[in-house]
Amino acid sequence: MSSVLVVLLILVLSFVPVTLAFFWIRRRGIVFPFLVTLLFLAAGVATLVMAAVIQSLITEALPEGAASFAAQFFDVFVRVALTEEGARFLVFFVLFAGIRVFSSQSILNEGFSAGGGLLAGLSFAALETAAHAASEAGVVLVRALSAAPLHGACGIRCAQSALSAEKTPLIAAGRLISAILLHACYNFMLPRGGIMAALAIFLALSSLVSSARAVTNE
């Protein structure tokens, strides 16, 4: 099989969770206009690009020979979790501001934002998974079982945070912080293997199930 076909197959497999989520959201009674669906998928791409740029700048600015624990703590909580969830929040905040300007405000509610956050989070995870799998194909299944649910759950929380930022900033801050802590805990536990990795996967899956309850038009 040619390398191009392998990459395409990996990309298709990576987007399976996105496709399943799209039809599940519709069954929950939320039907996004075609353009809005594309915007949410694009939000995942924009978040990935923004986070990657920020992370590369942080990496270049870090001094060599930093203490091991301090370096690991900074990498897990700041360079990865904070940058990715912060970028996700900013992308949603701008997206929702645009929707308020160009569309009816009535479509912006908790269920709408949660569904969009889920799509954007899974889009982010799909591209990230494809990038990792291009060099290590065996990672697709592991990431589908853990990273995709993680980013889906964080996407929901960040989208709801962005939606409520203007009217209830304290609630918005709490939602954003919960996404950052969830992401950081997952990143801290997964590489340690064994029971810690199992707990990381359970944390990602249970967080997705809990967060996805907000995806409803009721």
Side-chain angles (χ1 to χ4, degrees):
M1 185 179 295
S2 69
S3 58
V4 175
L5 289 177
V6 171
V7 172
L8 288 176
L9 179 60
I10 290 173
L11 193 60
V12 169
L13 290 175
S14 299
F15 270 90
V16 167
V18 181
T19 304
L20 294 176
F22 174 79
F23 288 107
W24 180 79
I25 291 170
R26 290 178 68 91
R27 291 197 62 179
R28 297 285 287 180
I30 299 175
V31 181
F32 296 126
F34 178 72
L35 178 58
V36 172
T37 302
L38 292 181
L39 286 175
F40 280 128
L41 295 178
V45 179
T47 301
L48 182 65
V49 172
M50 183 185 301
V53 171
I54 297 172
Q55 289 169 0
S56 66
L57 293 175
I58 292 175
T59 301
E60 292 178 2
L62 286 175
E64 296 184 1
S68 178
F69 178 79
Q72 289 182 13
F73 180 88
F74 184 88
D75 185 70
V76 168
F77 282 89
V78 178
R79 193 187 69 83
V80 178
L82 179 60
T83 58
E84 291 186 7
E85 302 313 323
R88 207 187 311 267
F89 170 84
L90 289 175
V91 169
F92 282 131
F93 189 84
V94 173
L95 177 59
F96 291 157
I99 291 176
R100 288 188 181 98
V101 172
F102 296 105
S103 183
S104 171
Q105 293 191 28
S106 63
I107 67 173
L108 285 175
N109 54 46
E110 291 285 326
F112 180 94
S113 66
L118 178 59
L119 283 183
L122 292 177
S123 174
F124 179 105
L127 293 175
E128 190 179 57
T129 296
H132 284 292
S135 58
E136 189 179 354
V139 80
V140 174
L141 180 59
V142 175
R143 290 190 61 84
L145 292 174
S146 58
L150 170 79
H151 286 291
C154 290
I156 292 172
R157 297 179 186 208
C158 287
Q160 291 186 307
S161 175
L163 181 68
S164 59
E166 293 184 359
K167 294 183 178 180
T168 54
L170 289 179
I171 293 177
R175 287 169 168 172
L176 178 58
I177 291 172
S178 72
I180 294 171
L181 292 177
L182 170 61
H183 197 156
C185 289
Y186 169 87
N187 285 349
F188 179 80
M189 293 188 296
L190 188 69
R192 280 155 176 77
I195 187 63
M196 293 293 283
L199 287 174
I201 295 174
F202 174 77
L203 177 64
L205 291 171
S206 60
S207 297
L208 176 61
V209 171
S210 175
S211 301
R213 293 176 182 174
V215 183
T216 176
N217 66 348
E218 296 178 359

